Amino acid sequence: MGGGTFGGIETGGTKTVCAVGSGPDDVRAGACFPTTTADETLARAAAFFREHRPAAVGVASFGPLDLDPASPTFGSITATPKPGWSGADVVGALRRALVVPVAIDTDVNGAALAEWRWGAGTQCDPLVYVTVGTGIGGGAVVGGRPLHGLAHPEMGHMRVPRAPGDDFAGWCPFHADCLEGLASGPAIQARRGLPPEALAVDDPVWTLVARYLALGLANVVTVLSPQRIVVGGGVLRHPTLLGRVRAEVRAILAGYVRVAALAGAIEEFIVAPALGERAGVLGALALAAQGGPERD
Amino acid sequence: MGGGTFGGIETGGTKTVCAVGSGPDDVRAGACFPTTTADETLARAAAFFREHRPAAVGVASFGPLDLDPASPTFGSITATPKPGWSGADVVGALRRALVVPVAIDTDVNGAALAEWRWGAGTQCDPLVYVTVGTGIGGGAVVGGRPLHGLAHPEMGHMRVPRAPGDDFAGWCPFHADCLEGLASGPAIQARRGLPPEALAVDDPVWTLVARYLALGLANVVTVLSPQRIVVGGGVLRHPTLLGRVRAEVRAILAGYVRVAALAGAIEEFIVAPALGERAGVLGALALAAQGGPERD
């Protein structure tokens, strides 16, 4: 496999990051450019990789993605409001341009894989990764593989109970008051008229945000029983939010005999990322190294 | 492995079922007796198996269970109000009595494994199994293995939004108005003063039950992205409830572009069990055949 040299691409809402290497301590080259149309962005990534000749390429992409290997559109973006990306055949375009295997998964499954392999979640099975920023996304690694089935996890769109007295309508265009609609960065901004980073650290909105994020994580615990949850994203830059979320999760599950393991060390159960903003592109490298399903 | 002959035990709240064989079309012997204390019940099961000499034994057990192979109490029941079972070393007792490998998992993970291997969920990855009866439980098979991590899934204890106007306090002793507290058999009985099977099929409580079960299943979709969900249990004997749950799940996820796959064939996505009440003990057989983790 070309001396273990892989290529990774993280396609984000505003920028695309590329790297060549084999892991966090061995990134041999990198590139970063604005995400424009699919055609232009993928051509630019391909041009970068052509110089470096990786043995395989991995993509950690915004969604929604078709990850069903039996589907004729496997490896494509499905319906998205993002101009120039709806239906884009990401895997096909890169494979044709580079003639190497191309693996793909969601950006959050990629980040989960990177944190599981090299970061805050080694030895944890399952490992869950949740990001809270312009949206709320979650990915998971189960048995060493990113989790998907019918589609891929969309943890931000789960429904949680309202906090008493909270009558904010919610911001999600699909579900109004799902978790993302109640507690993502844009939801916070819609509630308070200012972006999260401009709010006082003791603004009362943070009490609501901690409550909703904790309800979401507690629900993830009941469904997936992860061994650890890594929580990142811009909203978590708030200095005490993660601690408040931990306390709320413990309270929500309190008395819950079946997860007594939680009572001891909640700080080791809900943790910050170790790889920071590099988790996505490192996850793409890990996807390339692991190999993804090929279209049937 | 003794000609592929395995032993399976399903320990339930009121009765314990044992079987010897290799699958649903090859059950060579069976036994059923009341679940009394752990010592008595496990001794009775061991006496039955001694006659049949299975190569390995699997247990599909009520919980909560310690499933951490690194734990000194792996394979035991943890805290339970059930007399004579708190701390019972299920795996140890059977292994000492029979001197064969003993695998264990939750009753619902066992049922999920049986439905995945022989029933309504073959070829589905992940497969989720949910039962709605005296409690609400959920299990899953991911990558061919029952899902657990920190502990095991406890899907019935997730939190969901209240239906408008529903002021029932909830019945769960731990969380009051978690899913199980709002929509299990005892919750229905507490709401209406009659057990579910005594209520009219058009009793208004069924509208609430369908809504809550659908919110729960929709949340499972956002976290696990299963390829199929099998839904069983006594409450689902209602003749139209499963259909109403399907319609509600579709409505809750409507417009949700990322699970467009759901729009087509919800009847193939949320299905009734194929193995009926045999799923538990068949799951125990499947656990024996698959082999579980041994205590470290």
Side-chain angles (χ1 to χ4, degrees):
Chain A
M1 291 287 274
T5 301
F6 300 102
I9 314 175
E10 181 190 15
T11 59
T14 58
K15 67 181 179 179
T16 291
V17 181
C18 299
V20 171
S22 64
D25 302 325
D26 175 45
V27 173
R28 300 176 208 169
C32 181
F33 41 84
T35 302
T36 57
T37 63
D39 285 350
E40 190 173 70
T41 305
L42 297 173
R44 205 158 165 182
F48 167 74
F49 287 119
R50 250 186 235 109
E51 293 173 39
H52 298 280
R53 308 177 61 87
V57 167
V59 188
S61 175
F62 61 83
L65 296 174
D66 182 344
L67 297 178
D68 175 3
S71 162
T73 56
F74 167 76
S76 297
I77 308 283
T78 58
T80 175
K82 199 167 168 52
W85 283 89
S86 213
D89 180 8
V90 176
V91 165
L94 291 167
R95 196 185 284 150
R96 281 189 297 274
L98 298 168
V99 198
V100 295
V102 178
I104 190 166
D105 217 307
T106 62
D107 42 11
V108 280
N109 264 346
L113 187 64
E115 291 285 353
W116 174 79
R117 187 156 170 183
W118 298 302
T122 54
Q123 311 290 324
C124 295
D125 183 19
L127 178 74
V128 167
Y129 176 94
V130 172
T131 180
V132 186
T134 54
I136 296 180
V141 175
V142 183
R145 313 287 305 190
L147 176 68
H148 33 77
L150 180 73
H152 44 74
E154 289 282 5
M155 300 186 196
H157 295 284
M158 77 166 64
R159 309 294 173 95
V160 292
R162 285 293 187 138
D166 179 24
D167 59 0
F168 175 63
W171 164 89
C172 172
F174 298 113
H175 315 113
D177 63 352
C178 64
L179 184 59
E180 180 169 303
L182 291 169
S184 63
I188 295 168
Q189 178 152 3
R191 286 173 179 277
R192 306 291 293 141
L194 287 169
E197 60 273 21
L199 295 172
V201 295
D202 60 351
D203 189 288
V205 78
W206 295 114
T207 302
L208 284 177
V209 171
R211 175 75 186 166
Y212 287 126
L213 294 180
L215 283 163
L217 297 188
N219 277 355
V220 168
V221 170
T222 67
V223 176
L224 253 172
S225 196
Q227 289 193 321
R228 188 167 289 165
I229 303 177
V230 179
V231 187
V235 169
L236 269 295
R237 288 191 198 118
H238 182 289
T240 60
L241 182 60
L242 188 60
R244 291 166 74 170
V245 170
R246 286 185 184 122
E248 286 274 347
V249 168
R250 179 144 50 181
I252 290 165
L253 296 172
Y256 186 29
V257 293
R258 304 179 190 203
V259 288
L262 265 189
I266 192 94
E267 296 78 10
E268 293 172 25
F269 180 64
I270 299 173
V271 304
L275 302 173
E277 297 193 349
R278 300 168 78 206
V281 72
L282 290 171
L285 280 184
L287 287 167
Q290 185 173 77
E294 298 282 318
R295 194 175 304 180
D296 283 358
Chain B
M1 292 285 275
T5 301
F6 300 103
I9 313 176
E10 180 190 17
T11 58
T14 57
K15 65 180 180 179
T16 291
V17 181
C18 299
V20 171
S22 64
D25 301 325
D26 174 44
V27 174
R28 299 175 209 168
C32 181
F33 41 84
T35 303
T36 57
T37 63
D39 285 350
E40 189 173 72
T41 305
L42 296 173
R44 204 157 167 183
F48 167 75
F49 287 121
R50 250 186 233 110
E51 293 172 38
H52 298 282
R53 307 176 61 86
V57 167
V59 187
S61 176
F62 62 83
L65 296 174
D66 182 343
L67 296 179
D68 176 3
S71 162
T73 56
F74 168 76
S76 297
I77 308 283
T78 59
T80 174
K82 200 168 167 52
W85 283 87
S86 214
D89 180 8
V90 177
V91 165
L94 291 167
R95 197 186 283 149
R96 282 190 297 275
L98 298 168
V99 199
V100 295
V102 177
I104 191 166
D105 217 308
T106 63
D107 43 10
V108 280
N109 265 347
L113 187 64
E115 291 284 351
W116 173 78
R117 187 156 169 184
W118 297 303
T122 54
Q123 312 289 322
C124 295
D125 184 18
L127 178 74
V128 167
Y129 176 93
V130 172
T131 180
V132 186
T134 54
I136 297 179
V141 175
V142 183
R145 310 289 303 192
L147 176 68
H148 32 79
L150 179 73
H152 45 73
E154 289 282 6
M155 300 186 196
H157 295 284
M158 76 165 64
R159 309 292 174 98
V160 293
R162 286 289 187 142
D166 179 23
D167 58 3
F168 175 62
W171 164 89
C172 173
F174 299 111
H175 316 112
D177 63 352
C178 64
L179 183 58
E180 180 170 302
L182 291 169
S184 62
I188 296 169
Q189 178 153 1
R191 287 173 178 277
R192 306 292 291 143
L194 287 170
E197 60 273 22
L199 295 172
V201 296
D202 60 350
D203 189 288
V205 78
W206 297 113
T207 302
L208 284 178
V209 171
R211 175 73 185 168
Y212 287 126
L213 295 180
L215 283 163
L217 298 188
N219 277 356
V220 169
V221 170
T222 66
V223 176
L224 252 173
S225 196
Q227 289 193 320
R228 185 167 292 165
I229 303 178
V230 179
V231 187
V235 170
L236 269 296
R237 291 194 194 116
H238 183 288
T240 59
L241 182 60
L242 187 61
R244 291 166 76 171
V245 170
R246 285 187 183 120
E248 285 275 346
V249 169
R250 179 143 51 183
I252 290 164
L253 297 172
Y256 187 29
V257 294
R258 302 176 192 205
V259 287
L262 266 190
I266 191 92
E267 295 79 8
E268 292 172 25
F269 180 63
I270 299 173
V271 305
L275 302 173
E277 298 193 349
R278 301 169 77 205
V281 71
L282 290 171
L285 280 183
L287 287 166
Q290 185 173 75
E294 298 284 319
R295 194 176 302 179
D296 281 1

